[in-house]
Amino acid sequence: MPGCGATYDVGEVRTSCDACGSLLDIVYQWDQVAVPKSLREFEAKWTRRNDPLCRSGVWRFHELLPFATPDKVVTIGEGQTPLMSSDGVASYVGMKPGQLLLEYEGMNPSGSFKDNGMTAAFTHAHTIGAKRAACASTGNTSASLALYCCVSKLMQAVIFIGSGKISYGKLSQALDYGALTIQIAGDFDDAMQRVREVSSRMGIYLVNSVNPFRLEGQKTIMLRVIESLDWEVPDWIVVPGGNLGNSSAFAKAFHELKELGLIDRIPRLAIINAQGADTLYELYEKRGLRWNSGAPNSDVMDTYYAELDAAHLRADTIASAIEINRPVNLFKCIRGLECMDGVVREVTDQQILDAKAQVGASGLGCEPASAASVAGAKLLREEGVIDPGERVVCILTGHQLKDPTATVAYHTSDQKEFDRVLGSRGVSRAAFANRAVQVDNDLDAIVQAIQLNS
Ligand code: F0G
């Protein structure tokens, strides 16, 4: 918290401040490190693809996250992610052609943006000699941690997941990569609380986004976005909101770039909650929670959480990645909203799945949570908050194959399956379904089916 001002050495293992209890920030003494004078200086690294620190889309920007020496960096080639223009999705959202861009973080080694943060937290864990690392997860953080442990053989992964709360694509990764997988009878919010207790009692290194080094790695998603735009800053960044690590990291990135004189303006931020897990929306847009230059009205949050508990309300959305009611980075996030003149919106599971189908039809598949960004951009266009001529970047946080159940249920012609997976969540139609054609195992019937459907 501002006003607390306590500082800790980079070699310490902690996620919160002893004095005020808040999460920690990584702060650099920029005058003591070599910072580029222009972002174009990073282009010199593009030709050095045989150097893992230049090839990594995170460590190529090492000068802007200089907390570890190069010999300690653990990289598995994360961050090779494209920024793609999609006119199909632009038209769906209501933007002019060329103005809607998708940052495809599903192309990371474990299939989600988490690898950006994991390489950074893992590097710090390695620096201080950790032998075990833990996280609670809705599936992607755990897949990422499991992968870094598996490839590097430096640590054992201990992952906490809510029983039945994780999609099969993600669970299968953790199991394949050999993580010690603890399934808790509860949801993500329960698992998060437990992993904090367990890691502090057992001295296990915690890699959830309460870990400030995670956010340092996730800053680079924004660096790659502007790198792809020839170092121009877009008008809007639209991102799904779960534990609010990304949004906090993005704001930190832009704040630092501006402070260092490397950009001249900061884009606006839109954070999109799923309606069934809309704590940020409720607190920011409805109850007026604000950072207030460092004096947040936190009683608003306390009251809301007490209400959730009294009503036994749990997060509930098809976008399981963001099925979170108590986002750990809430205060960093509202600080980021202030810095980026941000807005928060919520979208229904129906809107998420329709947007996801549009993203899939554009050739860049994503999982449900990621599509919240596109659904949110559409909503903000309809409201007139986003102008059709502005340049909008939606972050596609996770790969389509992470959650095949949701995708197949959307496209199915089996009404029972549709109702079982989606109907229970208030999804009533699949406007963009591509239904498989059922046909007998008969050559003429197959030929006829193809003719009828082409
Ligand atoms: N999108 C995907 C695909 C995610 O996996 C997550 C978070 C988010 C968005 C939300 O990002 O927390 O930075 O606001 N997944 C975490 C996990 C919680 O455990 O994998 P955030």
Side-chain angles (χ1 to χ4, degrees):
M1 282 281 167
C4 169
T7 58
Y8 301 94
D9 186 77
V10 68
E12 289 191 43
V13 180
R14 55 171 71 243
T15 54
S16 57
C17 173
D18 284 347
C20 71
S22 303
L23 297 187
L24 299 172
D25 263 331
I26 305 297
V27 180
Y28 303 103
Q29 289 167 308
W30 293 114
D31 53 345
Q32 296 186 29
V33 287
V35 183
K37 296 207 166 34
S38 148
L39 288 170
R40 286 205 185 278
E41 285 181 30
F42 286 113
E43 293 178 10
K45 302 199 190 187
W46 294 351
T47 55
R48 288 162 46 203
R49 302 279 295 171
N50 54 348
D51 175 349
L53 269 75
C54 291
R55 197 172 63 217
S56 163
V58 172
W59 298 104
R60 162 156 98 241
F61 301 104
H62 197 172
E63 288 81 354
L64 297 175
L65 49 149
F67 64 83
T69 51
D71 58 308
K72 290 292 181 192
V73 168
V74 183
T75 172
I76 61 169
E78 58 288 316
Q80 311 296 323
T81 58
L83 180 73
M84 307 285 284
S85 165
S86 169
D87 287 349
V89 181
S91 135
Y92 177 68
V93 169
M95 304 293 300
K96 289 193 179 147
Q99 296 304 84
L100 196 279
L101 299 148
L102 302 169
E103 172 67 15
Y104 194 22
E105 289 299 311
M107 289 299 283
N108 273 293
S110 79
S112 87
F113 76 92
K114 300 286 178 181
D115 297 346
N116 293 285
M118 199 55 67
T119 184
F122 207 84
T123 291
H124 182 252
H126 179 44
T127 308
I128 57 100
K131 290 286 164 252
R132 281 186 296 193
C135 67
S137 185
T138 54
N140 280 328
T141 307
S142 49
S144 182
L145 173 63
L147 182 56
Y148 277 82
C149 286
C150 178
V151 172
S152 71
K153 306 278 183 280
L154 288 167
M155 281 165 240
Q156 184 193 21
V158 184
I159 66 165
F160 288 56
I161 56 180
S163 198
K165 290 287 182 186
I166 167 172
S167 68
Y168 263 25
K170 302 172 190 182
L171 180 59
S172 60
Q173 287 180 289
L175 298 174
D176 247 9
Y177 301 147
L180 171 57
T181 304
I182 313 282
Q183 271 183 302
I184 296 182
D187 65 8
F188 174 82
D189 294 316
D190 299 317
M192 188 68 231
Q193 190 190 336
R194 290 298 180 202
V195 77
R196 288 173 95 160
E197 291 163 2
V198 169
S199 60
S200 103
R201 186 185 300 182
M202 298 181 70
I204 304 179
Y205 190 92
L206 185 59
V207 299
N208 277 105
S209 57
V210 288
N211 181 322
F213 295 98
R214 274 274 309 277
L215 305 198
E216 292 307 293
Q218 286 168 217
K219 290 191 311 194
T220 65
I221 301 172
M222 291 301 103
L223 293 163
R224 294 197 299 277
V225 164
I226 57 174
E227 179 185 56
S228 301
L229 296 174
D230 199 23
W231 307 111
E232 272 180 33
V233 173
D235 297 305
W236 284 93
I237 301 292
V238 190
V239 65
N243 232 356
L244 306 179
N246 258 343
S247 43
S248 304
F250 296 175
K252 188 172 192 282
F254 286 113
H255 178 74
E256 288 174 352
L257 289 175
K258 183 94 192 320
E259 203 178 51
L260 291 169
L262 293 170
I263 54 172
D264 53 14
R265 69 182 179 92
I266 290 179
R268 293 191 70 188
L269 177 68
I271 306 175
I272 314 302
N273 273 165
Q275 200 176 58
D278 63 349
T279 294
L280 181 68
Y281 175 72
E282 177 72 27
L283 292 179
Y284 188 78
E285 295 288 348
K286 296 246 186 91
R287 304 193 182 202
L289 177 66
R290 287 293 180 277
W291 177 244
N292 283 334
S293 310
N297 45 340
S298 51
D299 52 313
V300 171
M301 176 196 77
D302 299 335
T303 311
Y304 181 61
Y305 285 170
E307 284 172 26
L308 284 182
D309 285 344
H312 302 291
L313 273 179
R314 310 300 301 193
D316 182 15
T317 166
I318 190 78
S320 59
I322 51 174
E323 194 173 49
I324 296 172
N325 261 353
R326 290 171 192 255
V328 295
N329 287 295
L330 181 63
F331 286 97
K332 283 189 184 178
C333 173
I334 56 166
R335 179 180 66 184
L337 283 163
E338 182 175 290
C339 165
M340 295 182 69
D341 188 15
V343 297
V344 183
R345 291 293 182 270
E346 62 173 357
V347 289
T348 62
D349 284 4
Q350 178 79 59
Q351 290 168 310
I352 287 175
L353 289 178
D354 287 340
K356 182 176 122 44
Q358 287 289 318
V359 172
S362 79
L364 301 175
C366 68
E367 63 168 288
S370 313
S373 61
V374 172
K378 179 173 164 60
L379 180 65
L380 288 163
R381 252 307 292 127
E382 284 160 6
E383 289 177 1
V385 176
I386 292 180
D387 186 85
E390 287 184 299
R391 195 184 241 180
V392 176
V393 175
C394 292
I395 313 300
L396 298 183
T397 46
H399 199 279
Q400 179 205 35
L401 298 177
K402 289 282 191 174
D403 190 355
T405 314
T407 310
V408 174
Y410 185 86
H411 291 291
T412 189
S413 47
D414 176 347
Q415 189 64 36
K416 272 203 193 117
E417 180 63 3
F418 183 92
D419 290 343
R420 188 183 68 79
V421 182
L422 305 178
S424 56
R425 302 199 183 263
V427 179
S428 60
R429 56 187 194 282
F432 309 110
N434 174 27
R435 298 206 168 85
V437 178
Q438 309 291 331
V439 61
D440 288 340
N441 185 10
D442 172 90
L443 182 58
D444 288 338
I446 295 170
V447 169
Q448 198 185 15
I450 294 172
Q451 281 167 340
L452 264 176
N453 288 283
S454 358

